[in-house]
Amino acid sequence: MDPFDLVIRGGTVVTASELFHADLGIRDGRIAAIGEELPAGREELDAHGLLVLPGGVDSHCHIEQLSAAGLVNADTFETATASAALGGTTTVIPFVAQHVGTSLAAAAEDYHRRAERGAIVDYALHLILADPRPEILKEELPPLVRAGHASLKVFLTYDRLKIDDEQLLDVLEAARTHGLMVCVHAENHGMIRWMGRRLVERGFTAPRYHVPSHPRIGEVEGIHRAIACAALLDQPIMIFHVSTAEGAAVIHRARGEGRKVWGETCTQYLTLTSADLDRPGIEGAKWICSPPLREPADQEALWWALEVGTLQCVSSDHAPYRMDETGKLAKGPNPSFKEIANGIPGLELRLPVLFDAMVSRGRLGLCRFVELTATAPAKIYGLHPKKGTIAPGSDADLALWDAERVVTIEDAPRTDRAGYTPYGGRTVKGWPRHVLLRGRPIVRDGKLEGTPGQGRFLPRQGGRAALPTGRPAPEFDPAQNFGARLW
Ligand code: DUC
Ligand code: ZN
Ligand code: ZN
């Protein structure tokens, strides 16, 4: 047998279920052997004193995405995935963004082209459907599924993105036909618009009023409605970026009733609060994201929801906008909160900030950290076991992690192009030292070695077997009244 291409020696391997000392033998980009005292490889990487984690899977991040308002995220596939790599993430799932009146297929081509050119880590793509008219669902979607797309995203809010309940049912039905996951931004649009209008009319325009403009009850209503629509069709859904205790409770109850609903929260909802927006002048705009940052009690509830399995993934929802006329200040130097682009950067710091909050501070263990940030998203989105774990045959995507390293995050530009980080000034314990993509270091000793274009598209198998339920569902037949059976 040929020697291994690389042996990672002496580390502590962590998976979602166990933690053990072992060497890893890597051949042709995959894990070929896990064991003690493996024979010498062509190359060796010393992992003594380090944790060997599966590379992170960030299943919700916006990269080089054109917003409906005409703004493009601050970074490119190159800068975003460089930042992902430096933070220990080796797989990302950003979006193909369709807009009303446009072609989904053309948008997919465009994003594929950009990603192929720039990506430093591997990627899949969720398809945003802002205009799910029949020709899109019947003619454009099937070839995209055949090309390896297996998840859709829809919005219940945002003026030029939101779909109504009937459209949502059309999307859910198409997803059911093709065996796709449907991810939902679930907030009540009317409540957001109404609250926003009332606040501005009364002169409450500072960034901090973004928080009450997205009422908590609006998230509850959106999640409940999305789950109800999905249940009518017996179709799995993922609720993106859950921010409130009550929102998590809706998912908890629905899962208890056997609904096929999964839930995600994001680093920022666990580690930042509405108080972060409460700063002089326009500064708080840096913390404007939707749903907004909430309260310490919500953080407690979200941690609990992660602990008991109500929520299964923690993503970044990376959506960077600069504090200038290209981003947050596109409507002038002193915009009302309604005019400020929603989104914060987070790809690079997702894992370090979470590792500190979750593991170093003793909230949840190492295995759960791996599960929430790599294994579960890989499973839910059809990438496992190629991604998200350390097992024979899996891609050798690894983050060699120094659990003792203490870093104070500088309040300064990072690798992405946002020009700031919402986590500036925070001291965290735990930082990636080396990061490997398919057996090749893309970060060595904290320095980027990966090159744009080396990231590969990860085609996923549509089809019901690919969904986390694993259970085939028959064609939807309204005459069978699935909804009545389920409700
Ligand atoms: N909200 C979204 O819905 N998407 C991107 C970022 C954000 O804040
Ligand atoms: Zn969203
Ligand atoms: Zn998002």
Side-chain angles (χ1 to χ4, degrees):
M1 179 72 91
D2 283 348
F4 297 117
D5 299 331
L6 174 68
V7 172
I8 297 178
R9 198 162 302 277
T12 301
V13 175
V14 188
T15 70
S17 56
E18 49 188 344
L19 182 148
F20 50 92
H21 290 283
D23 303 334
L24 298 181
I26 295 166
R27 198 177 279 121
D28 298 329
R30 301 216 183 112
I31 311 277
I34 304 175
E36 294 198 46
E37 295 179 28
L38 292 181
R42 289 196 180 93
E43 284 184 50
E44 300 257 326
L45 194 56
D46 180 16
H48 284 91
L50 298 177
L51 300 173
V52 182
L53 312 176
V57 177
D58 194 335
S59 51
H60 179 177
C61 48
H62 302 264
I63 301 182
E64 221 171 315
Q65 188 179 320
L66 177 66
S67 81
L71 289 178
V72 183
N73 296 150
D75 53 16
T76 59
F77 270 91
E78 181 179 338
T79 56
T81 55
S83 76
L86 286 163
T89 289
T90 50
T91 298
V92 293
I93 316 185
F95 297 86
V96 165
Q98 183 219 18
H99 294 286
V100 174
T102 68
S103 154
L104 178 66
E109 230 174 86
D110 182 31
Y111 283 87
H112 270 292
R113 204 173 32 242
R114 291 159 191 266
E116 211 173 293
R117 194 171 49 214
I120 292 171
V121 303
D122 288 352
Y123 57 94
L125 295 161
H126 301 298
L127 305 174
I128 291 178
L129 282 165
D131 186 1
R133 54 191 194 273
E135 80 211 52
I136 300 288
L137 296 180
K138 297 216 156 55
E139 289 160 31
E140 294 199 7
L141 186 58
L144 289 167
V145 173
R146 287 195 292 277
H149 293 282
S151 48
L152 309 175
K153 158 109 191 255
V154 292
F155 292 84
L156 304 188
T157 186
Y158 289 124
D159 282 336
R160 280 167 284 197
L161 289 172
K162 68 159 200 331
I163 59 171
D164 64 25
D165 294 353
E166 232 177 301
Q167 291 172 306
L168 174 59
L169 290 165
D170 285 342
V171 171
L172 291 163
E173 185 183 30
R176 185 187 154 98
T177 302
H178 297 293
L180 313 177
M181 176 58 91
V182 178
C183 307
V184 187
H185 180 127
E187 290 186 283
N188 180 294
H189 186 63
M191 288 185 195
I192 293 170
R193 277 187 61 95
W194 190 88
M195 285 293 284
R197 193 154 44 85
R198 285 289 185 276
L199 284 159
V200 170
E201 274 168 12
R202 286 163 172 72
F204 300 118
T205 59
R208 67 172 176 278
Y209 294 107
H210 174 68
V211 178
S213 81
H214 283 243
R216 312 168 61 86
I217 192 79
E219 178 171 276
V220 171
E221 191 282 329
I223 295 175
H224 189 271
R225 180 154 43 98
I227 293 174
C229 288
L232 179 68
L233 284 149
D234 193 22
Q235 160 64 30
I237 55 168
M238 161 64 71
I239 305 295
F240 266 174
H241 46 48
V242 177
S243 69
T244 61
E246 304 92 290
V250 176
I251 296 172
H252 188 77
R253 198 173 323 122
R255 287 175 62 83
E257 289 164 357
R259 309 277 176 249
K260 294 167 184 164
V261 54
W262 281 258
E264 163 207 271
T265 190
C266 309
T267 323
Q268 54 272 33
Y269 302 114
L270 294 165
T271 59
L272 301 170
T273 67
S274 64
D276 284 292
L277 286 90
D278 204 357
R279 295 167 195 255
I282 204 67
E283 183 71 4
K286 291 179 177 171
W287 284 265
I288 285 190
C289 58
S290 290
L293 303 176
R294 304 289 185 183
E295 307 313 315
D298 293 300
Q299 294 184 341
E300 288 309 312
L302 294 174
W303 282 116
W304 177 83
L306 292 171
E307 190 172 345
V308 301
T310 295
L311 304 177
Q312 301 77 35
C313 337
V314 188
S315 70
S316 68
D317 198 5
H318 176 81
Y321 293 99
R322 296 181 68 80
M323 278 294 279
D324 63 21
E325 68 290 346
T326 67
K328 297 266 184 191
L329 308 183
K331 295 282 165 64
N334 200 19
S336 84
F337 67 84
K338 281 196 353 173
E339 299 168 312
I340 296 170
N342 288 196
I344 59 179
L347 256 172
E348 181 171 353
L349 294 175
R350 178 182 74 119
L351 294 181
V353 169
L354 281 174
F355 187 94
D356 176 67
M358 199 181 284
V359 182
S360 302
R361 292 173 199 264
R363 272 201 180 264
L364 300 174
L366 267 171
C367 293
R368 195 81 181 112
F369 171 77
V370 164
E371 184 170 20
L372 291 164
T373 59
T375 315
K379 283 185 178 169
I380 288 170
Y381 295 108
L383 296 168
H384 187 271
K386 183 177 173 63
K387 302 294 186 187
T389 193
I390 297 174
S394 296
D395 281 359
D397 291 357
L398 303 165
L400 275 57
W401 198 274
D402 182 348
E404 299 304 319
R405 179 156 175 221
V406 175
V407 174
T408 298
I409 296 165
E410 277 181 61
D411 211 351
R414 303 195 65 83
T415 315
D416 63 58
R417 294 216 186 124
Y420 75 96
T421 167
Y423 304 102
R426 180 177 294 245
T427 297
V428 298
K429 188 171 168 198
W431 202 264
R433 184 178 301 171
H434 311 298
V435 181
L436 285 80
L437 178 71
R438 287 181 262 106
R440 303 222 332 244
I442 51 173
V443 173
R444 201 192 290 265
D445 282 320
K447 300 271 180 308
L448 189 71
E449 287 194 353
T451 50
Q454 85 175 91
R456 287 188 195 150
F457 175 60
L458 299 165
R460 293 173 288 154
Q461 195 199 354
R464 294 175 192 97
L467 289 169
T469 57
R471 178 156 76 75
E475 277 299 293
F476 178 67
D477 175 1
Q480 295 293 316
N481 204 350
F482 276 86
R485 178 170 64 76
L486 284 158
W487 285 89

